[in-house]
Amino acid sequence: MNKYIKNFYDLHSLDKVTSYKAILEKKDWLFQKLYIPYTFDKKEENGKELYEELYALMDQAVLFKKLELDDEIFEEHLDKKDKILENFNKDFSLLYLYSHLTNKVKKGTFFVEYDFTKMSDKMYKELVANFFPCISSLKDLDLFYDENNIIDLLKFAMYGEEGKWVLILSKNALLNDRYYLPFAKKIYFNSSLITKDQEEGLKEISQRCSIPIGEYYGD
């Protein structure tokens, strides 16, 4: 069994000793270079354009999102997709993080490096057990959905390429889908992914929020 999947199951074990050992195994996972992707996505509300992720960044927060999955993940069980997404998004939200800067993201994306070593003990306890590596092998993940088993449901959020991580939090732990994270270290952008106007906007945010900014060029 994949060691990360084993840790996931052990973490949710009813045996307290097994669960505690699983926590200890992952106690340092958050203490690495981690980059959170932000986008210039906008929505209209009352006739106004809202850039929720940019506003969150300026408020020293990150915006958690809904789980979205491609049809290919479900293979012959495509009929369960809507139910899985509905049940996950009813109670949980997620945030993807990367251990490296990458160009393999959609246009309009930039990254912000965060220093998790500055977390308070309270924040650490809230996040460490809910931080998981993404797994690219559907065989290793062994996705199976039993609507009475929350463990099966959470595993769907762990699908992703190597070097990608996910934080899965209960909606009750968030305020307007935001989580306060005042540890932004540096903004990174790739000029092939954002427009000149967007680049200028990032420079304004950098100056206003006193966050250094720099350009990166490849994966």
Side-chain angles (χ1 to χ4, degrees):
M1 179 183 289
N2 180 294
K3 67 177 183 179
Y4 292 123
I5 296 299
K6 183 179 185 306
N7 178 272
F8 175 82
Y9 281 123
D10 287 348
L11 185 71
H12 294 92
S13 171
L14 296 178
D15 180 73
K16 291 184 178 180
V17 173
T18 301
S19 180
Y20 180 69
K21 286 181 178 179
I23 283 284
L24 291 180
E25 285 177 6
K26 63 188 300 182
K27 64 183 177 66
D28 295 326
W29 288 6
L30 275 165
F31 301 142
Q32 59 174 303
K33 275 193 174 184
L34 287 168
Y35 305 91
I36 296 177
Y38 285 78
T39 75
F40 286 84
D41 289 354
K42 60 185 176 182
K43 70 175 186 180
E44 285 199 11
E45 190 173 289
N46 298 323
K48 295 182 178 180
E49 292 183 340
L50 300 179
Y51 295 85
E52 292 185 296
E53 292 178 67
L54 300 185
Y55 297 162
L57 175 59
M58 288 187 284
D59 289 338
Q60 300 187 78
V62 288
L63 185 72
F64 277 64
K65 299 182 180 181
K66 294 181 178 180
L67 175 64
E68 297 178 349
L69 295 169
D70 295 330
D71 289 351
E72 64 188 40
I73 296 171
F74 296 88
E75 298 176 335
E76 70 272 22
H77 304 295
L78 187 57
D79 58 312
K80 297 181 180 179
K81 176 181 176 180
D82 290 343
K83 187 64 175 177
I84 290 168
L85 294 179
E86 177 187 349
N87 285 351
F88 184 95
N89 293 324
K90 178 180 65 177
D91 296 319
F92 301 98
S93 290
L94 57 80
L95 177 74
Y96 288 115
L97 309 90
Y98 290 77
S99 56
H100 62 283
L101 295 166
T102 177
N103 294 334
K104 296 175 183 177
V105 288
K106 70 178 185 178
K107 292 282 188 178
T109 299
F110 63 97
F111 289 89
V112 180
E113 180 183 355
Y114 278 83
D115 185 356
F116 283 89
T117 63
K118 295 183 178 180
M119 286 185 294
S120 65
D121 289 344
K122 177 179 180 294
M123 186 179 292
Y124 176 80
K125 290 175 181 177
E126 287 177 343
L127 298 183
V128 66
N130 300 300
F131 182 65
F132 306 100
C134 290
I135 308 295
S136 61
S137 169
L138 289 173
K139 182 179 179 181
D140 284 346
L141 267 176
D142 188 25
L143 295 175
F144 175 78
Y145 180 56
D146 176 353
E147 61 181 301
N148 296 314
N149 189 339
I150 194 172
I151 297 176
D152 290 332
L153 187 63
L154 293 177
K155 275 201 301 182
F156 282 90
M158 292 174 63
Y159 178 71
E161 66 267 25
E162 184 178 347
K164 189 174 179 179
W165 300 74
V166 63
L167 269 169
I168 306 171
L169 292 183
S170 163
K171 284 186 173 294
N172 294 331
L174 304 170
L175 181 61
N176 296 323
D177 295 320
R178 289 178 170 194
Y179 188 88
Y180 181 61
L181 200 66
F183 313 125
K185 188 174 180 180
K186 188 172 182 178
I187 296 170
Y188 290 90
F189 69 91
N190 186 297
S191 57
S192 67
L193 292 173
I194 64 174
T195 66
K196 283 294 183 183
D197 285 344
Q198 290 171 341
E199 182 179 331
E200 290 304 312
L202 284 184
K203 289 177 180 177
E204 289 181 13
I205 292 173
S206 167
Q207 185 174 20
R208 180 185 301 182
C209 300
S210 299
I211 306 172
I213 188 170
E215 187 171 2
Y216 73 98
Y217 301 96
D219 290 298

